Amino acid sequence: MTDKFSPKTIATVLGAILLINYFIGVYWSFEPNQIDIKQEAIADAQKEQVKLVVGYTTTTSLIRVAETLLNKPGGYLANDAMPPSVFLDNIPSWEFGVLEMVRDMSLVMRQEFSRSQSQSTENPYLQKAQPRFNIDHRSWAFPSAESEYGKAIKELYLYRKALADNRTPSAQFYARADNLRDWLKEVEKRLGSYSQRLSASVGRDQLNIDLAGDSVAQQSTYGEPSMQVKTSWWKIDDVFYEARGASWALLHFLKAIEVDFNDVLEKKNAKVSVQQIIRELEASQQPVWSPMILNGDGFGMLANHSLVMANYISRANAALIDLNTLLSQG
């Protein structure tokens, strides 16, 4: 009996368990591949035997991106309390970046894309779906994040079905320039934040420009004229993967927007601007060959992955601002 539980046997079993958990963790940490949203929408429309109406592709993109959070290898990991996922931080950060973009898109769909004007009523399916995406992403019970996201996805399916049904004219998707600009404004803020956080991987002095452009502007409390901005060494990889997740989700949303807002973009001669943004975001999804996120300084020996990602996101954000300007012109 004692031979069966010798120190050597126990060490072997523990080593095997750790090795298995390690390889499972590595597998679960692989980022999902890109989805061909246009083909997914066409396939779903054919399966449901409905016409590919305006808004169908954008709704499909939101559904597929949200489903990826739940159905990728390992499922949704951010709220797991058991190994090996409890020891992972890169892919949960990636999930949160995706979730932030999902939240922004679902809110704009509820308040803007599905409504003809400010006094119009909200779509009941989107009214139920959007709040469910706002549950704490680390909630694991009563209710769990996965269950709430799953319920939200079901409501999105119902909204998409109603869009393609001529018998439910109350379900609409309005592809207008002003609606699109409302969403782009939210994306600009999100990308601007990621760009700043990524750039802060190396400490730098930053001047306070919070009140720039308005001589009588005020703020609640005193702000230093300059400050040292630096992301903690322990958070650099988290910020990097959160930005990658957000870029991944945004890439799919923009490909859907290119389809549903095609006439608007062509009229404004802005389609090439969307395509340029998509290219920048695709570049941000290149494989990371390094086993860890490096934080090289300036033009030193080692790479700084955060600054490379910040470059792609900044370029995409600049193109977004130009696109918004084009859409605002008559």
Side-chain angles (χ1 to χ4, degrees), residues 134-147:
N134 290 325
I135 186 175
D136 181 1
H137 71 291
R138 295 190 181 277
S139 176
W140 60 274
F142 311 118
S144 67
E146 297 102 316
S147 65

Side-chain angles (χ1 to χ4, degrees), residues 262-325:
N262 179 71
D263 292 344
V264 172
L265 295 172
E266 286 192 345
K267 180 182 177 182
K268 301 287 187 177
N269 198 24
K271 197 166 185 178
V272 67
S273 298
V274 175
Q275 293 169 346
Q276 181 60 39
I277 299 168
I278 290 174
R279 284 195 178 187
E280 298 293 347
L281 293 174
E282 285 176 336
S284 74
Q285 299 301 303
Q286 297 177 62
V288 180
W289 298 110
S290 172
M292 63 182 296
I293 301 304
L294 299 178
N295 189 36
D297 187 14
F299 297 103
M301 294 288 291
L302 298 178
N304 188 306
H305 293 111
S306 296
L307 292 184
V308 174
M309 177 64 75
N311 175 62
Y312 288 126
I313 288 181
S314 295
R315 286 165 62 90
N317 200 23
L320 272 171
I321 295 171
D322 291 340
L323 173 61
N324 216 341
T325 302

Side-chain angles (χ1 to χ4, degrees), residues 32-330:
N33 295 324
Q34 294 181 31
I35 306 168
D36 190 336
I37 290 298
K38 188 175 181 180
Q39 289 303 316
E40 289 286 318
I42 292 173
D44 281 9
Q46 291 175 345
K47 182 179 179 181
E48 296 177 358
Q49 296 182 334
V50 297
K51 184 180 178 182
L52 199 66
V53 298
V54 170
Y56 195 95
T57 304
T58 300
T59 309
T60 300
S61 71
L62 182 55
I63 290 171
R64 288 292 185 273
V65 168
E67 285 180 336
T68 300
L69 286 175
L70 306 182
N71 301 331
K72 61 180 174 54
Y76 185 71
L77 303 178
N79 63 349
D80 283 3
M82 296 292 290
S85 49
V86 70
F87 299 115
L88 306 177
D89 62 345
N90 291 343
I91 201 67
S93 296
W94 183 92
E95 290 173 343
F96 185 68
V98 173
L99 183 60
E100 288 283 74
M101 285 297 176
V102 167
R103 287 170 172 172
D104 289 346
M105 175 58 84
S106 62
L107 179 60
V108 171
M109 284 187 65
R110 175 184 175 181
Q111 293 187 339
E112 308 296 339
F113 290 165
S114 63
R115 303 176 65 185
S116 59
Q117 52 188 351
S118 60
Q119 300 301 317
S120 58
T121 57
E122 294 180 316
N123 180 275
Y125 300 126
L126 296 177
Q127 190 176 20
K128 294 177 183 177
Q130 183 265 327
R132 295 189 185 278
F133 283 123
N134 290 325
I135 186 175
D136 181 1
H137 71 291
R138 295 190 181 277
S139 176
W140 60 274
F142 311 118
S144 67
E146 297 102 316
S147 65
E148 290 299 290
Y149 301 158
K151 291 175 183 177
I153 291 170
K154 289 180 181 178
E155 295 295 336
L156 291 175
Y157 271 112
L158 292 174
Y159 169 69
R160 191 183 69 172
K161 182 179 180 180
L163 274 183
D165 190 350
N166 291 327
R167 294 169 296 180
T168 55
S170 59
Q172 296 290 344
F173 184 99
Y174 298 97
R176 301 196 313 254
D178 59 335
N179 284 352
L180 181 55
R181 289 184 61 215
D182 289 331
W183 177 63
L184 292 177
K185 289 177 183 176
E186 296 301 319
V187 176
E188 285 176 21
K189 295 174 185 176
R190 191 72 68 185
L191 292 188
S193 175
Y194 284 129
S195 178
Q196 289 292 326
R197 292 167 64 194
L198 288 165
S199 299
S201 61
V202 291
R204 59 192 180 90
D205 291 324
Q206 179 172 306
L207 296 176
N208 189 333
I209 58 172
D210 295 342
L211 303 180
D214 191 341
S215 59
V216 296
Q218 300 181 39
Q219 63 185 60
S220 302
T221 57
Y222 172 77
E224 294 291 338
S226 65
M227 62 194 78
Q228 176 77 10
V229 180
K230 184 176 176 62
T231 301
S232 168
W233 187 84
W234 297 101
K235 295 293 184 181
I236 287 172
D237 59 336
D238 296 341
V239 174
F240 177 84
Y241 279 101
E242 183 182 333
R244 270 178 76 91
S247 300
W248 182 88
L250 179 58
L251 174 61
H252 294 88
F253 294 154
L254 284 169
K255 288 183 176 180
I257 290 297
E258 189 179 12
V259 174
D260 285 330
F261 288 81
N262 179 71
D263 292 344
V264 172
L265 295 172
E266 286 192 345
K267 180 182 177 182
K268 301 287 187 177
N269 198 24
K271 197 166 185 178
V272 67
S273 298
V274 175
Q275 293 169 346
Q276 181 60 39
I277 299 168
I278 290 174
R279 284 195 178 187
E280 298 293 347
L281 293 174
E282 285 176 336
S284 74
Q285 299 301 303
Q286 297 177 62
V288 180
W289 298 110
S290 172
M292 63 182 296
I293 301 304
L294 299 178
N295 189 36
D297 187 14
F299 297 103
M301 294 288 291
L302 298 178
N304 188 306
H305 293 111
S306 296
L307 292 184
V308 174
M309 177 64 75
N311 175 62
Y312 288 126
I313 288 181
S314 295
R315 286 165 62 90
N317 200 23
L320 272 171
I321 295 171
D322 291 340
L323 173 61
N324 216 341
T325 302
L326 282 175
L327 293 173
S328 67
Q329 298 172 354

